[in-house]
Amino acid sequence: MFNEKAQKMKLDDIRELQEKRLLKQVKYAYENVPMYKKRFKEEGIKPSDIKKLEDARKVPFTVKDDLRDHYPYGILAVPKEKVVRFHASSGTTGTPTVVSYTKKDMDVWGDLMARCYDSAGVEPEYIVQNAYGYGLFTGGLGFHQGAEVMGCAVLPTSTGNTKKQIKMMNDFQTEVLAATPSYAIYLSEAAEKYGFDPLEDFNLKVGMFGAEPWSEEARESIENSLGIKAQDVYGMSELYGPGVAVECPEQNGLHIWSDEFLVETIDPKTGEVLPEGEKGEIVFTMLTREAMPLLRYRTKDVGSVTYEECECGRQHPRIEKIEGRSDDMLIVGGVNVFPSQVEAALLETEGIGEHYQIIVDRDVLDKLYVRAEVDKDHYESSEYDEEKLKKEASENLTAVLNIKARLKLLEPGTLPRTVGKAKRVIDQREEQDRIEEL
Ligand code: DLL
C-alpha cells in the first residue's frame, strides 16, 4: 500500500496531528500573509486564541474573492522565488484565481494524489492514460505527478483528439483512465464509433473520475460500458487540485486525507458549524500548505461528512458524493434545482442516454426545459416509443424536482460533447441571444 502509515492512520491520531498542525498553520498564516493578520485583527482574535481543534471555528473564513483580490500572485506566504508552480482557474467573472506551490507543497500534493490512486485500486504496474487537460487546470498535471509518485507509467494524452486517444487506449492496453466523467462517457461512445468494443478490446480496470458532479446512475453506465471500476476523486485548484478526497473500493463516500485537510460543514447562510452528517457547505483548512495557506476556505460545494468507520479500514472521514455547488443550484420559480438531480432522474429512465442539457428561461414565469438524447441502442431498437419514453422520463423528473420540467427527446449525437468539464446548464433568463426553439 502506498504510504500505508498515512492512509491507515487511526482517527485519534489524525485528530491529534490536526490539532498540532492547525495551531502551527494559523500562526504561520497570521505571520506571513498580511490579509490574515488584518482579518484576525478586525475580528479581534489572535493566533494564541486557537488552543485546540475545536477552536478552529473561531478562525475567520476565506473565500474565492480573497484570491481574486490578490491577482496575479495569490495569497503568498513565501517570497516569490520559493514558488515552483502556478495554476489558475478561470471561473466566470474574468479574473482568474491563481494558486501557487513551493517544492514542499508539490511533494505533499504528489503524495496525496498517489494515495488516491492506491485507494481507488490502482497498482504500480498499471499504465495511466491521463485524459485531463494539461495546462493551467490542475487536473492534468495533478494526475500526472501522482501517477509517477505511485510508480505507474503515464500516457499524457490530455483532453481532445478523441480518435487518437482511443487508438492509444487499445494499442497500449492502458489499465487506468483519468478523465472527467463526461469525457469518459464520450470516449466510450466514440470507441464504438471507431469500431472498438471496450469490453473486448480494451484493458481498462480503474477510472479516476472527478472535477464535476456525476450521479450514481452515470457511474453505473460508465462501469458497464467501459468494464471498469469508476472511482470518484474530489479536489479544487485552491486546495492543491485533485487529491483532497477519493473513494476506496467500498464506493460509499470519499475519504478526505485529513492529516492534510481539516474539514467542516457549515450553514452557508449563518456560517454556523453543522453537526456530523448534516448537509451544508464544505469548508477546508489546509494544514501544511506553505506557499498559500488557506484557513477555513469556503468551497461552495454542498455535501455532508461522516466519521463512521469504513469497511476498508481507513479512518479518514468521508464526504458523500458531491451533489453540486451552491452556486450551480438553480432557483426556478422559487424551487431549488440541482443539475445532478436532473441527471439522476434522466438516467434512471431506461432508454435515456447520458447527454442532456438544462435550459432555464422566462416569459412571465420561470420555465425549466430539459433536452435529453435517447440512448443509441434504444433508439435503434424496435422497442423505441417516443411518447412512452417521454412520459416516463417526465414523471421521473417531476418526482425528483417537485417542479414541472418540459422535456424534449433528441436523437443520439445531437448535443455538443465536451472533453473537459461539461457545460450542461444554460440560464437564459437574462440573455438576449436565446435558444428560441425549445
Ligand atoms: O476540478 C480539480 C480536479 C481535477 C478534481 C480533476 C478532480 C479531478 P477546479 O477546476 O478548481 O478543480 O474545480 C473545483 O469542481 O469545487 C467542485 O465543485 C467540482 N468538483 C471537483 N471534483 C468533483 C467531484 C478541479 N469529484 C470544483 N464531484 C469543486 C463533484 C467536483 N464535483
Side-chain angles (χ1 to χ4, degrees):
M1 181 181 263
F2 178 85
N3 198 349
E4 184 167 2
K5 190 166 162 256
Q7 288 201 58
K8 288 284 172 80
M9 265 180 103
K10 298 274 170 264
L11 190 54
D12 286 345
D13 296 335
I14 293 176
R15 288 206 162 111
E16 201 183 310
L17 183 63
Q18 283 185 326
E19 186 168 277
K20 201 170 112 207
R21 289 184 163 173
L22 174 74
L23 270 51
K24 197 167 156 204
Q25 191 70 355
V26 165
K27 191 161 174 280
Y28 175 73
Y30 178 88
E31 283 170 1
N32 295 285
V33 181
M35 178 191 85
Y36 280 121
K37 184 169 274 177
K38 184 164 167 269
R39 196 154 296 167
F40 271 64
K41 286 196 168 145
E42 281 164 5
E43 308 251 332
I45 53 168
K46 297 186 293 304
S48 56
D49 295 334
I50 313 302
K51 295 190 177 70
K52 48 188 197 312
L53 201 51
E54 293 69 42
D55 293 335
R57 58 185 70 191
K58 295 183 188 161
V59 174
F61 292 116
T62 314
V63 294
K64 201 175 184 103
D65 275 343
D66 291 326
L67 275 91
R68 280 208 192 95
D69 293 346
H70 290 79
Y71 181 79
Y73 295 123
I75 300 173
L76 265 189
V78 296
K80 226 168 49 234
E81 303 77 69
K82 274 198 87 180
V83 173
V84 299
R85 174 84 67 80
F86 290 110
H87 278 287
S89 67
S90 50
T92 44
T93 59
T95 309
T97 322
V98 179
V99 295
S100 51
Y101 310 70
T102 62
K103 171 74 179 60
K104 184 171 156 263
D105 293 333
M106 290 303 297
D107 290 345
V108 172
W109 187 19
D111 173 80
L112 293 173
M113 273 309 301
R115 290 191 216 170
C116 287
Y117 278 111
D118 185 79
S119 165
V122 172
E123 301 287 343
E125 63 269 22
Y126 288 176
I127 301 177
V128 176
Q129 179 156 356
N130 187 8
Y132 282 107
Y134 281 65
L136 289 172
F137 175 54
T138 51
L141 287 160
F143 273 90
H144 186 108
Q145 190 199 2
E148 288 189 354
V149 172
M150 171 73 190
C152 297
V154 193
L155 194 61
T157 46
S158 192
T159 45
N161 210 338
T162 302
K163 189 171 179 187
K164 189 162 160 198
Q165 188 97 243
I166 284 164
K167 179 173 161 36
M168 295 189 101
M169 193 176 278
N170 185 50
D171 293 346
F172 280 78
Q173 292 287 296
T174 50
E175 283 96 349
V176 183
L177 173 64
T180 57
S182 48
Y183 193 39
I185 291 170
Y186 179 16
L187 279 167
S188 76
E189 279 179 357
E192 216 178 292
K193 188 171 129 202
Y194 295 124
F196 293 101
D197 174 354
L199 301 183
E200 283 290 316
D201 300 324
F202 299 162
N203 190 30
L204 291 174
K205 296 186 191 321
V206 184
M208 303 287 288
F209 303 129
E212 60 185 359
W214 53 304
S215 59
E216 282 301 334
E217 289 76 8
R219 184 203 312 266
E220 201 185 315
S221 154
I222 297 173
E223 290 196 331
N224 293 338
S225 61
L226 290 177
I228 50 173
K229 189 120 180 159
Q231 301 288 60
D232 198 352
V233 189
Y234 169 83
M236 66 196 308
S237 337
E238 297 89 317
L239 309 168
Y240 295 116
V244 174
V246 67
E247 282 180 324
C248 64
E250 302 295 324
Q251 295 187 325
N252 59 359
L254 290 77
H255 291 279
I256 304 158
W257 299 125
S258 295
D259 48 328
E260 292 292 341
F261 301 99
L262 176 65
V263 66
E264 294 168 282
T265 317
I266 61 159
D267 177 330
K269 289 204 186 80
T270 62
E272 283 302 308
V273 176
L274 298 173
E276 177 185 339
E278 230 169 88
K279 197 177 276 189
E281 180 177 347
I282 306 289
V283 170
F284 288 105
T285 296
M286 302 181 84
L287 293 170
T288 69
R289 184 75 174 265
E290 198 175 45
M292 192 189 77
L294 286 184
L295 306 178
R296 301 193 86 201
Y297 187 69
R298 292 185 61 158
T299 62
K300 298 227 167 133
D301 288 324
V302 179
S304 68
V305 175
T306 173
Y307 286 81
E308 262 170 42
E309 242 181 79
C310 177
E311 288 286 312
C312 77
R314 288 176 191 81
Q315 296 192 4
H316 291 271
R318 281 167 291 146
I319 190 173
E320 74 176 13
K321 218 169 180 332
I322 298 272
E323 205 171 301
R325 297 174 58 78
S326 54
D327 47 5
D328 277 352
M329 192 183 76
L330 295 159
I331 304 181
V332 186
V335 178
N336 298 349
V337 174
F338 273 112
S340 56
Q341 294 175 305
V342 173
E343 174 172 309
L346 287 174
L347 293 184
E348 200 185 276
T349 321
E350 185 98 31
I352 300 281
E354 289 93 356
H355 299 278
Y356 64 94
Q357 217 171 36
I358 300 167
I359 302 171
V360 194
D361 204 354
R362 173 180 292 157
D363 39 31
V364 180
L365 296 171
D366 286 349
K367 292 207 166 67
L368 180 69
Y369 296 87
V370 174
R371 309 194 319 157
E373 285 184 14
V374 179
D375 173 70
K376 190 162 168 287
D377 290 340
H378 187 77
Y379 190 77
E380 287 164 359
S381 78
S382 54
E383 275 168 49
Y384 178 48
D385 175 342
E386 186 176 345
E387 278 314 305
K388 185 165 160 259
L389 183 61
K390 189 171 167 180
K391 182 165 172 283
E392 208 179 307
S394 300
E395 282 169 6
N396 283 345
L397 280 169
T398 312
V400 173
L401 301 178
N402 298 316
I403 173 180
K404 185 173 162 49
R406 293 161 170 78
L407 175 68
K408 182 168 181 177
L409 296 183
L410 304 173
E411 276 180 36
T414 329
L415 291 170
R417 304 293 194 252
T418 38
V419 296
K421 301 189 191 220
K423 177 162 172 32
R424 295 214 166 91
V425 180
I426 303 172
D427 191 342
Q428 51 184 18
R429 280 177 282 196
E430 307 297 335
E431 286 181 21
Q432 300 307 316
D433 284 336
R434 306 167 43 180
I435 305 174
E436 294 291 355
E437 241 181 82
L438 294 167

